[in-house]
Amino acid sequence: MANLDLPIGIVTLLLGIYMLSFLRISLSDLPLQSLWRVSQAPAKKAAHVEERETPGGSIEKESHFSSSWWEDEKIHQLERRAIFSKTWHYAAPLSVFRKPGDYLTLSIAAFSIFLILGKDGQLRGFHNVCRHRAYEVTRKECGRSTVLGCRYHGWSYDTLGRLTKAPEFEGVDGFEKGSNGLWEVKVRVVGNGAVFVNLDAGDVVEMEGMEGVEAEMRGWAFEDCEKVERWSVKGAFNWKLAVNVFDDCQLSSSKNAISWLWFLIKSLYKNQHPQIVHAWPLTTLHYEPYNNSWVSIKLIPSSAHKTTIQCELYAQRGSTRQNHGPIIANLKNGISTKLQELETAQNEAHGETLVMTAAQISHQERIHALLKAHLKLERVQGGEVHPAARQQSFSQMGKKDDDLCRQLEDNLTSIETTDEKGSFQSNSLDW
């Protein structure tokens, strides 16, 4: 009888692990719209929650945020000034910048910036705005060039952001190249190579939340990774609905219980477990230490009711898309499902007050507090405060030339194309 104890114990252990994996799958399949209403009350009361009834004693309640909170464009513009312009945003792993001139163009809530590795080995960030007439300096998603220039007027910059060439301004009295370099963006490298940026033009920026992120990401293997796949999907929803809702988008190739069982056994054997970091407010990062792969899920709001979800999967250098095909397919399916749920929640927010959990209300109240504080600052200063803004003056001289260039830009738009991977392709003048 004693000889049977070990096999029975093993079977019992495996059965327990199987049930845990099944529970994990079941919880991850809950739709977002139900998450707004799931109460922390006992299960008997939760059934009433699905019917929008608020059981006594439950922490579930109607939020005090009306439909305008999710739809008002003025609120969205305030969010750009009060939040997106002043918080640290995850950008990319440092390892993608391998040679001088390697650059990456980013969009953060309609702010266009780019990161570039200098000849001195230093990574820098700049607003993607030419100092002459405010046209974009980089138009491609990524590339390599130690000299970047505006394609219309020929102003050129080096990897340090310094103006090196300004046709028709050479020798002009009062014009200084040193005062017309690109506007720099603050860059911070966290842990083993996660790059964050901050758009705040002030000398001192807040570090709220960064300490926790740095601690959580310590040990993540960013040093020798490369991008496996990047994709984006556009959605008709307010970004605030999606704060921290991507936790169940795991780096798993299958929701099959046996796959989860094998994954869990490997994790226990290596004493390594998947990790999730919320780079508040716009990014969720998932890390799988067992095979050093990770994914970033970014929100890119463009208006009060339009947000793009951008996903990037990274793995150890030398990995191929074929190796991660099932994982990519699973992630894309998960994101697609989330998108549908978010758009449904956006529709439900129209004309009614959403019923939310305490955790969801806490996120909204945090955002509300930041907006309220910024509004107070604007009242004191007597006007809108744009932390990311830089002063750029345009003289009347050259306005005709500028109008011509803008017309040229409109004409060129019709011939711009994308390659089969979705990367921007145009003509030889693009950087």
Side-chain angles (χ1 to χ4, degrees):
M1 190 72 174
N3 294 333
L4 294 177
D5 290 344
L6 183 59
I8 292 175
I10 294 175
V11 171
T12 302
L13 175 62
L14 292 177
L15 182 60
I17 294 174
Y18 176 88
M19 293 304 296
L20 285 174
S21 65
F22 178 79
L23 177 61
R24 182 179 185 179
I25 296 167
S26 299
L27 290 176
S28 68
D29 287 336
L30 283 174
L32 177 67
Q33 51 263 44
S34 68
L35 291 181
W36 295 116
R37 304 182 180 89
V38 173
S39 171
Q40 293 185 15
K44 185 175 181 180
K45 293 183 179 181
H48 295 289
V49 173
E50 292 292 330
E51 298 175 1
R52 291 179 176 264
E53 295 181 10
T54 306
S58 171
I59 63 168
E60 187 217 37
K61 57 182 180 180
E62 284 194 354
S63 74
H64 55 274
F65 299 102
S66 64
S67 60
S68 62
W69 180 248
W70 318 103
E71 299 175 344
D72 194 325
E73 190 61 30
K74 290 183 180 179
I75 292 179
H76 176 71
Q77 293 304 318
L78 177 58
E79 291 162 357
R80 293 183 75 235
R81 304 194 302 272
I83 300 177
F84 305 142
S85 297
K86 299 196 289 187
T87 53
W88 287 93
H89 302 274
Y90 168 76
L94 184 61
S95 61
V96 302
F97 305 94
R98 301 181 64 83
K99 295 183 179 180
D102 282 351
Y103 70 85
L104 177 67
T105 306
L106 305 168
S107 177
I108 301 175
F111 293 101
S112 181
I113 67 171
F114 69 91
L115 299 169
I116 187 168
L117 185 64
K119 291 183 178 180
D120 59 353
Q122 183 72 29
L123 184 69
R124 294 177 176 84
F126 300 98
H127 281 278
N128 192 17
V129 176
C130 176
R131 289 293 303 277
H132 182 207
R133 308 300 285 179
Y135 290 105
E136 290 181 329
V137 177
T138 63
R139 292 177 62 88
K140 294 181 180 179
E141 172 190 323
C142 59
R144 179 181 298 151
S145 179
T146 55
V147 178
L148 300 175
C150 174
R151 69 178 186 173
Y152 293 119
H153 303 94
W155 281 38
S156 300
Y157 305 88
D158 63 14
T159 59
L160 276 66
R162 298 176 302 194
L163 180 64
T164 59
K165 182 181 178 183
E168 300 182 9
F169 282 83
E170 306 289 349
V172 174
D173 291 339
F175 179 77
E176 299 180 1
K177 286 184 179 179
S179 301
N180 286 277
L182 295 172
W183 286 309
E184 194 161 359
V185 171
K186 295 176 178 63
V187 175
R188 184 179 182 87
V189 180
V190 172
N192 294 325
V195 180
F196 284 75
V197 297
N198 193 309
L199 303 176
D200 195 332
D203 295 331
V204 179
V205 298
E206 297 180 5
M207 296 300 297
E208 181 184 359
M210 279 301 295
E211 295 83 357
V213 169
E214 292 187 17
E216 291 182 79
M217 298 182 73
R218 191 174 294 119
W220 287 30
F222 290 100
E223 302 97 327
D224 193 34
C225 66
E226 63 182 354
K227 183 173 64 179
V228 177
E229 178 106 346
R230 177 184 183 180
W231 69 96
S232 301
V233 289
K234 295 182 179 180
F237 65 91
N238 187 284
W239 71 275
K240 296 189 292 293
L241 289 168
V243 175
N244 295 3
V245 302
F246 297 105
D247 289 5
D248 56 346
C249 293
Q250 301 290 340
L251 291 176
S252 169
S253 59
S254 173
K255 287 189 176 183
N256 181 276
I258 295 177
S259 299
W260 275 113
L261 176 62
W262 176 238
F263 168 79
L264 189 56
I265 290 174
K266 290 191 298 182
S267 298
L268 291 172
Y269 176 74
K270 292 287 187 176
N271 195 27
Q272 295 175 327
H273 305 282
Q275 300 171 27
I276 299 175
V277 169
H278 298 121
W280 197 88
L282 297 178
T283 304
T284 300
L285 296 148
H286 292 260
Y287 178 53
E288 173 44 66
Y290 186 82
N291 57 12
N292 287 334
S293 62
W294 53 281
V295 65
S296 65
I297 305 175
K298 299 180 184 176
L299 300 173
I300 306 177
S302 57
S303 71
H305 50 82
K306 291 184 179 179
T307 303
T308 296
I309 304 174
Q310 183 184 87
C311 304
E312 292 181 323
L313 176 65
Y314 289 85
Q316 286 181 314
R317 194 167 296 280
S319 300
T320 64
R321 189 187 186 284
Q322 287 73 19
N323 297 143
H324 296 83
I327 293 178
I328 293 171
N330 189 53
L331 283 170
K332 287 185 175 181
N333 288 336
I335 294 299
S336 177
T337 299
K338 285 292 184 187
L339 176 60
Q340 295 175 18
E341 295 167 356
L342 287 164
E343 291 182 331
T344 298
Q346 179 72 29
N347 291 332
E348 291 181 356
H350 180 70
E352 66 176 271
T353 302
L354 284 177
V355 178
M356 306 168 69
T357 65
Q360 292 290 343
I361 291 177
S362 177
H363 285 307
Q364 305 309 316
E365 288 179 341
R366 179 182 180 183
I367 295 170
H368 183 266
L370 293 173
L371 299 186
K372 185 176 179 181
H374 193 81
L375 275 176
K376 182 178 180 180
L377 175 64
E378 292 184 336
R379 292 191 186 99
V380 171
Q381 298 198 9
E384 292 184 354
V385 177
H386 297 262
R390 310 298 178 97
Q391 294 298 321
Q392 173 80 337
S393 59
F394 298 100
S395 64
Q396 291 299 316
M397 184 177 62
K399 185 177 184 302
K400 185 176 182 180
D401 176 50
D402 184 60
D403 292 339
L404 177 62
C405 288
R406 291 187 185 279
Q407 182 179 1
L408 175 62
E409 182 181 46
D410 293 338
N411 292 336
L412 287 175
T413 300
S414 62
I415 63 173
E416 291 170 352
T417 60
T418 56
D419 64 15
E420 59 183 10
K421 294 183 178 180
S423 299
F424 179 83
Q425 299 290 321
S426 184
N427 54 50
S428 60
L429 294 177
D430 284 330
W431 300 92

